[in-house]
Structure formats: structure tokens, C-alpha cells
Amino acid sequence: MTESTSLSLGRRNHYSSFYGAPVPEGLALVLGNCQAESLRIVIDGPDLPTVRIPPVHELEASDLPHLDRLLSRASLVITQPIRDDYRDLPVGTRQVRERIASTARLVIVPAVRHRSLYPAQVVVRHPDRPIEDPPIAPYHDLRTIAEALGNARPRLRPDMVAAIAEESTAALRLREDRSGAVRISDVFDRPRFDLLRTLNHPGNPVWETLARRVRAEVGLADTVTDPGRALLASVIAPREEVVIETWGLDDAPDPHWYLGGRAEPADEVRDAHLRWYADNPDLLRLAADRHAAALEQVMSA
């Protein structure tokens, strides 16, 4: 058996209902990025059975008949805002709305990103190498970018952390309003570490709150499913003293990344990223340009 065949079989087993196994009546689908699966897990229940499906960035043209089969049977489709013809596939929110049954409901939920607990953290994707990440930890740090550009490493202040959080909340609320999404931004009015593991990996309380609000939107019971584990916890960012001070948290600082449970000192990640930027100046420039305003804000410290 070739490696590609093994991976194909593994994918089909993981998403067995998507690829043809019987599906329940009253089906609910959750479409989106890696966050969609976390919401699906907690919103699932006897009154709202769900099916695990691949995230939209993994869908291929050959998957469309399987997606259409489920869309035709779904009574509820929950989707993040997705642009038309995403990755050259007709899976945009507007396109999905046109393809579901006339009796089905469609509810939009936001893609959650918030920097209140990780104010220097950003994501950068090269247009030609979208799956490429910096070494060790797959997030960029604005302070390390500043260093790579030849500046002294900036130091964050509590007033700066608070300002970044306020801007992040405003940006999330704007995205919610533009797409007509169920609101979740207010959850971050009082930041704490169980809400976010990285800037775009929310913790269980976020998913439980969002699931309850989606259920309320469609008139279902205020119940959620306890997954019995921490969701989206494969990557956990360091907990910095300035963040703890800003929000008056009781947590102790922790200068480690946790990647699949393995601890990596933040200083070692920083050094590895600096070497990587030296070897990839195009990505350094892309990061600096794409996050120019945020970088300027951090460098004003």
C-alpha cells in the first residue's frame, strides 16, 4: 500500500459519514476552518445530530458530490463567512445558501481571532506557500519581526496590551456585523487564558457560549456537549507577565510554548524564528508589510 493510498483511507475513515456512511435525520453541518470542528463537537446533541466533515481549506473538487449529498439532507447549516469560489470551489457562504434545501436554516458564525492575551502574535501566509510556517511554533511575533528588521526588541506595556485588545474586539465585532454572524466578541470583554490558547485557537468556554447562542438562534434547547477534553489545544502560547498584569489574572507566567504537549522555551523559538527570517527575507518583508500598523504600534513601546 502506498503512502498516498494509506492517507486516503485514513481520511475516509476519519470522515466516514462525509464519504457515504448513513447520516441521521435533522442533520446539522458546520462549515469553516479548523474552528468549525470544535463548534460541531459541543453543539452536537440528540436534538441536533452532526457529521464531521473536512475543513474547507482541505476540500478538493472530488469532495463536492459528498458535500452536496449532505447539504441536501441538512436541516441546519452553520458556516463561517467564506468568500465565493474559495480555492476555486463553490463553497462560499452565498453559494452554500443557494444549494441547501428550501426548508433548511443557515446560521453564520464568525471566525474567531483575538489578541487580548497574545498581543504580539500574528499569522502570516505566503500566497505561493500558504502552508509554510516558521519553525517550532507556527505563529509570528511582532517583536521578533522588529528584531529581524534590525530594531531593538520592543517591550509591551499594560496600556498597549489593553489598546490592542480593544482594537481586536472592535475588529471582531465589525466582522460579525458585516456577515450577520452570531455574536461572540463580548466574551473577550474580560480576557482570561481559558478563552484562548493562541490568538485564533479559542478554548472550550468560547465554543460552549457560541453553541448555546446558535441553538437559541434556531429555537433549540440551551444545552451543549462536554467533549471531555480541551479543544484546539495542540498549540498553547506562552503566558506573559505583562498580559497577566493588564487583566489582573491569578495565573503564573509561563515562558514556554506547548506543542502537542511538548514544552519549548520561548527564547529558543525566538532564536529559531530570527534564523528563519534571515533565510527567508521575502517572508520577513511580507510579515512586516501585512501587519505594518500592528508592528508600528508594538515598536512604539
Side-chain angles (χ1 to χ4, degrees), residues 277-293:
Y277 288 132
D279 293 336
N280 295 273
D282 58 330
L283 276 159
L284 173 62
R285 178 48 53 191
L286 177 67
D289 291 345
R290 185 156 297 174
H291 296 284

Side-chain angles (χ1 to χ4, degrees), residues 17-237:
S17 293
F18 179 76
Y19 285 114
V23 297
E25 296 294 328
L27 172 68
L29 293 182
V30 187
L31 298 175
N33 60 19
C34 60
Q35 297 181 2
E37 174 63 6
S38 292
L39 177 59
R40 183 199 71 80
I41 289 169
V42 297
I43 206 169
D44 182 272
D47 60 343
L48 194 65
T50 64
V51 168
R52 180 192 291 131
I53 65 176
V56 291
H57 57 273
E58 291 184 7
L59 289 175
E60 304 292 342
S62 60
D63 291 325
L64 291 179
H66 303 289
L67 179 61
D68 282 333
R69 177 181 74 96
L70 295 181
L71 287 174
S72 69
R73 301 185 184 189
S75 62
L76 173 63
V77 175
I78 305 161
T79 181
Q80 294 176 330
I82 303 169
R83 68 177 183 272
D84 280 3
D85 298 319
Y86 174 72
R87 297 180 67 245
D88 296 323
L89 299 176
V91 295
T93 302
R94 183 190 62 81
Q95 294 166 313
V96 167
R97 189 189 300 272
E98 293 176 350
R99 290 159 60 204
I100 61 177
S102 60
T103 55
R105 294 281 304 272
L106 185 140
V107 174
I108 298 174
V109 295
V112 182
R113 299 187 299 275
H114 207 276
R115 293 170 57 209
S116 54
L117 296 163
Y118 312 102
Q121 195 174 97
V122 294
V123 174
V124 180
R125 294 285 179 233
H126 194 289
D128 298 325
R129 308 196 296 275
I131 64 171
E132 184 174 3
D133 289 315
I136 308 178
Y139 291 88
H140 298 254
D141 189 302
L142 292 168
R143 294 163 297 187
T144 307
I145 292 171
E147 282 188 279
L149 292 171
N151 302 284
R153 186 174 181 85
R155 294 177 61 88
L156 297 176
R157 303 184 309 266
D159 64 309
M160 182 178 297
V161 175
I164 289 170
E166 184 176 352
E167 292 173 6
S168 197
T169 295
L172 179 52
R173 286 178 179 161
L174 180 61
R175 296 196 302 274
E176 291 167 341
D177 292 342
R178 281 178 174 171
S179 61
V182 174
R183 192 172 293 281
I184 195 63
S185 51
D186 58 294
V187 169
F188 302 106
D189 289 347
R190 299 183 64 184
R192 61 184 197 272
F193 284 113
D194 65 339
L195 296 178
L196 290 164
R197 313 192 197 287
T198 67
L199 89 161
N200 62 354
H201 279 188
N204 292 33
V206 174
W207 300 123
E208 291 165 1
T209 300
L210 187 57
R212 287 191 168 95
R213 292 179 181 181
V214 171
R215 282 177 156 271
E217 181 80 8
V218 296
L220 293 176
D222 180 20
T223 59
V224 296
T225 295
D226 181 358
R229 58 185 173 87
L231 299 170
L232 287 179
S234 61
V235 179
I236 301 174

